[in-house]
Amino acid sequence: MLTLPALKADPRVAFAGAFDLRDEARVRFAVEFGVPAFETLDALLRSPDIDAVYIATPHELHAEQVIAALRAGKHVLVEKPMATSLADCARMERASAEAGKVLVVGPSHGFDAPVQVAAELVASGKYGAVRMVTALNFTDFIFRPRRSEELDSDRGGGVVYSQAAHHIDVVRRLVGLPVTSVRAVAANWDSSRSSEGAYTALMTFAAGAVASLTYSGYAHYDSDELLGWISELGYDKDPARYGEARKNLAALSSQDEIEAKLRRTYGAPDASANDALARYHEHFGFILLSCERADLKLSPKGLSIYGDAEREFLPIAPPELPRKEVIDEFVGACLGTRRPIHDGRWGFDTIACCVALLESSRRRTDVAPNRLLDTLSEKL
Ligand SMILES: NC(=O)c1ccc[n+]([C@@H]2O[C@H](COP(=O)([O-])OP(=O)(O)OC[C@H]3O[C@@H](n4cnc5c(N)ncnc54)[C@H](O)[C@@H]3O)[C@@H](O)[C@H]2O)c1
């Protein structure tokens, strides 16, 4: 639902078919776009009219569906998180290499225009080496209507795979160096929503850069306040709607909650994607990047740069198309005109950081994502 406006609006994308388990989604798609809605994934993958597929199913289905699509000769854009185990990521990355087809993991907020502009400025060396990133985000993630697996840590539920995957992508893109270790605490503070709802993590990078990432999805403080009340998706937000997610959820039984989730899903009678172009860029909370000679604060409108002698604001033109940066990267990769940043290897490394975050919290020690990858290669 969130990426559909981007796919619809972008002239480089033409729909050629879709598959979903639910009849209502298939019927709606066939009517809305006048193209086939297939009865099975295999039937979709056999269609010669389809060059590329976008996979936006629940996390735990990504690996098998992505591998099937790559083996059928399709390029793949798969939603974050790439998968919920390192072994699955390894299989997906290998399938992409063997098929010679593109695998891009996204959209994540690592694609957001302000992140890209800041990353390019850092890479240019203009402000010297990157030293530290301060990243925090406080949302109502845990109190939105959820299916049971979204709150089951053993199935990739909770905020780490769903939200730290964004946070880590943003920070990795800004620093542009390999992550050497993660020390974190991930916590469950609400027994009625039993999976990790908050974390704080300290990530160290090659060359000594460090990032602190703090996230809470417990629907109290809302860090959009620090972004001028602009929502994650770049729309104006009304602060008077405080506490809405909790209040709405409190009125629902568990069956009502599943139905409420379904009502927001494509094909449900009242569900409609927001086709209004956002006025501002998407964001993932407060991000401050400290370099040797300046601090850069990211916002949905641009970058505030605090240099040695003066500060300036570098505006970034508002979005021309929703999630354009994602389509730019994916289409460029499919056409062979652009090397993707967020490819299978990238997604794999982000998931290694998510696994390291959870393991660090459990073992109360530093965990090196690379060491996890080495252990995996020894097993495979
Ligand atoms: N990038 C973003 O901004 C963003 C935002 C929300 C969700 N996501 C990601 O998108 C993915 C889906 O999220 P969600 O579950 O909340 O979305 P959702 O519930 O809106 O959609 C999931 C869809 O998958 C369909 N489905 C379920 N099993 C299927 C199967 N076996 N084959 C085909 N279709 C099947 C469902 O019927 C449903 O239409 C997740 O991985 C999530 O992390 C990304």
Side-chain angles (χ1 to χ4, degrees), residues 1-2 4 22 24 28 140-141 143-147 150 233 241 244-245 248-249 252 256-274:
M1 290 296 275
L2 300 185
L4 186 59
R22 288 172 306 113
E24 57 181 4
R28 165 95 164 265
D140 59 9
F141 181 90
F143 287 89
R144 297 176 201 155
R146 298 280 166 211
R147 289 184 302 268
E150 293 180 274
L233 297 178
R241 293 172 70 174
E244 210 167 56
N248 290 343
L249 195 70
L252 303 180
D256 292 341
E257 181 176 350
I258 294 168
E259 282 161 22
K261 169 90 190 186
L262 259 179
R263 277 199 298 279
R264 296 151 58 121
T265 305
Y266 185 75
D270 301 331
S272 60
N274 186 355

Side-chain angles (χ1 to χ4, degrees), residues 75-90:
H75 299 299
V76 177
L77 173 65
V78 62
E79 269 295 348
K80 49 52 58 179
M82 179 172 174
T84 52
S85 82
L86 292 175
D88 278 349
C89 292

Side-chain angles (χ1 to χ4, degrees), residues 103-333:
L103 172 59
V104 167
V105 183
S108 86
H109 287 289
F111 285 86
D112 295 348
V115 175
Q116 306 231 26
V117 173
E120 280 158 23
L121 274 174
V122 168
S124 75
K126 184 170 179 188
Y127 301 111
V130 57
R131 296 294 197 209
M132 183 167 79
V133 184
T134 306
L136 61 89
N137 203 4
F138 285 68
T139 75
D140 59 9
F141 181 90
I142 284 291
F143 287 89
R144 297 176 201 155
R146 298 280 166 211
R147 289 184 302 268
S148 57
E149 82 271 13
E150 293 180 274
L151 297 174
D152 180 346
S153 304
D154 293 336
R155 296 173 70 187
V159 295
V160 175
Y161 287 101
S162 279
Q163 299 289 277
H166 282 297
H167 232 170
I168 291 165
D169 264 13
V170 169
V171 166
R172 287 186 57 216
R173 181 80 178 90
L174 292 171
V175 177
L177 294 166
V179 179
T180 48
S181 79
V182 179
R183 179 73 172 95
V185 174
N188 173 8
W189 299 330
D190 187 325
S191 56
S192 70
R193 312 290 286 166
S194 61
S195 58
E196 293 79 14
Y199 59 80
T200 190
L202 188 73
M203 291 170 66
T204 53
F205 292 80
V210 59
S212 65
L213 291 74
T214 296
Y215 186 97
S216 167
Y218 283 117
H220 289 129
Y221 180 62
D222 181 347
S223 52
D224 288 345
E225 180 185 75
L226 302 173
L227 283 303
W229 292 113
I230 295 173
S231 74
E232 178 179 344
L233 297 178
Y235 298 96
D236 290 306
K237 186 171 196 175
D238 180 2
R241 293 172 70 174
Y242 179 79
E244 210 167 56
R246 262 176 193 274
K247 259 179 251 155
N248 290 343
L249 195 70
L252 303 180
S253 68
S254 33
Q255 186 54 34
D256 292 341
E257 181 176 350
I258 294 168
E259 282 161 22
K261 169 90 190 186
L262 259 179
R263 277 199 298 279
R264 296 151 58 121
T265 305
Y266 185 75
D270 301 331
S272 60
N274 186 355
D275 288 327
L277 183 63
R279 288 169 63 193
Y280 310 108
H281 291 283
E282 296 193 22
H283 71 80
F284 201 70
F286 176 86
I287 312 276
L288 185 68
L289 177 64
S290 300
C291 298
E292 273 174 314
R293 291 188 291 281
D295 286 344
L296 280 66
K297 187 174 69 155
L298 280 61
S299 92
K301 300 178 187 175
L303 305 180
S304 301
I305 301 170
Y306 305 82
D308 288 341
E310 55 189 19
R311 63 176 184 199
E312 60 171 320
F313 182 69
L314 181 69
I316 300 176
E320 298 161 31
L321 286 167
R323 299 194 162 179
K324 178 176 177 293
E325 301 78 15
V326 182
I327 314 284
D328 285 346
E329 187 168 319
F330 185 55
V331 170

Side-chain angles (χ1 to χ4, degrees), residues 349-379:
D349 286 339
T350 290
I351 297 303
C353 293
C354 291
V355 174
L357 191 162
L358 286 168
E359 209 170 304
S360 167
S361 181
R362 263 192 302 267
R363 289 175 31 212
R364 300 180 184 202
T365 184
D366 287 20
V367 175
N370 274 349
R371 182 71 204 109
L372 298 175
L373 298 181
D374 293 346
T375 312
L376 178 74
S377 337
E378 284 155 21
K379 276 195 213 149

